[in-house]
Amino acid sequence: MTDYQCPMCDVRSPVESFAWRCPRCHGPWDLDFAAAPVPLDSLAGRANSLWRYEEALPLAATEATGGGPGAVSLGEGRTPLVPLTGTVTAKLDFLMPTLSFKDRGAVMLAELARRLKPRRVIADSSGNAGTSIAAYCARAGLDCTVYVPAATSPKKIEQITAHGARPELVPGDRETAARAARAAADEDGVFYASHVHNPYFLHGTKTYVYEVWEDLGGSLPEALVLPAGNGTLLLGAHLAVEELHTHGLIAERPALVAVQAAAVAPLASAFHAGADDITPSTAVPTLAEGIAVPAPPRARRILSAVRAGGGTFHTVTDDQIRAAQLDLAARGLFVEPTGAACWAAIRAHGLEGRTAVVPLCGAGAKTGVAPGG
């Protein structure tokens, strides 16, 4: 296993230490890992899961190569691309095992935890990450507790419980639940399966782009339109784009177009102000609860990643999200409101002038139709 490394102060820590953040600046870790090229022409016969991209994954070079014996997997990944317009294609990540794209990162955290053998695993979530961590911990035979806001969708809490994990309902908002989890994470023998702080999660979500690249025959669209709350999919996409470009597997980097809910948009505000970091916003209710993050810990990295490829930020209102959810449902694609945010941005901001892929991140069965729809 490689080391954790702090991007701000260069502190390093072995993964086996269970340290979940930099002890000096308290920021999230990066990973001291360099991906090798993924040979496109050899993929056809590989495991039909995330592990097929073994050269690009920080755990694959040892026990889990290619999803071999013992590696945690539920057959995640390989979700289809479906055209929405002549230029815009949707990637149906709501068809993942737990009905959310978070499975891409959860499988990496569960496999890492399985090797480290902690006393217990904890996570915090507004719902989707928690259900995903719970499922993959069940697959790995790991004891798991998930801290969630008390107002989390009952359907998501039911799913967490069904997988054998213990939901810890915390009065207050998403950040209150995160603080409770972080306090528990400092106990001995606890592995904090944080989709925000642990960089292994990002190396799982980057397979989203590797799949698009594979399915488009070794190319990428002109733009990747991505939701931005804590930025776990966006930062994973940035990792993949940089790896593919560095290895000469794509000629040009696509623009990363980030989407936030208008009600909670600290990243969009900072980007358009030309700032390198955010001013934390106020947590207010919005249909896009999955990306309503007032102070994302990796904010500086998210802003840098969007700027690096000539991308931008757009915001969408609840009315636009509701309309996009209903439009997708009318096309046969029932997703939760947060999962419709990127399609809402395409429709509201006239982004159909170049080829683009949007993720449909979470199934509508998790939350139902947006109120008012």
Side-chain angles (χ1 to χ4, degrees), residues 46-141:
R46 294 195 180 187
N48 197 30
S49 73
L50 170 148
W51 297 109
R52 70 195 280 110
Y53 307 108
E54 54 182 292
E55 294 86 354
L57 299 176
L59 290 174
T62 54
E63 183 179 350
T65 300
V72 176
S73 181
L74 289 168
E76 60 287 326
R78 307 300 295 129
T79 56
L81 292 171
V82 174
L84 293 177
T85 72
T87 57
V88 180
T89 301
K91 186 161 174 60
L92 310 191
D93 259 25
F94 69 91
L95 298 180
M96 298 285 273
T98 75
L99 310 182
S100 162
F101 88 94
K102 297 288 178 62
D103 290 359
R104 295 185 182 278
V107 64
M108 297 296 290
L109 295 186
E111 175 61 22
L112 177 60
R114 188 185 69 83
R115 299 186 193 189
L116 295 176
K117 297 179 172 61
R119 177 170 55 86
R120 67 177 179 131
V121 175
I122 66 168
D124 61 274
S125 170
S126 60
N128 281 335
T131 59
S132 189
I133 295 293
Y136 281 90
C137 282
R139 187 69 170 174

Side-chain angles (χ1 to χ4, degrees), residues 1 61 69 97 102 105 108 130 151 164 169 173 198 215 259 269 285 289 291 293 299 311 317 330 333-335 361 368:
M1 299 178 199
K102 297 288 178 62
M108 297 296 290
L169 274 60
D173 60 13
N198 194 302
D215 289 344
V259 179
S269 296
E289 61 180 7
I291 54 174
V293 182
T317 66
L333 303 168
F334 185 33
V335 302
C361 297

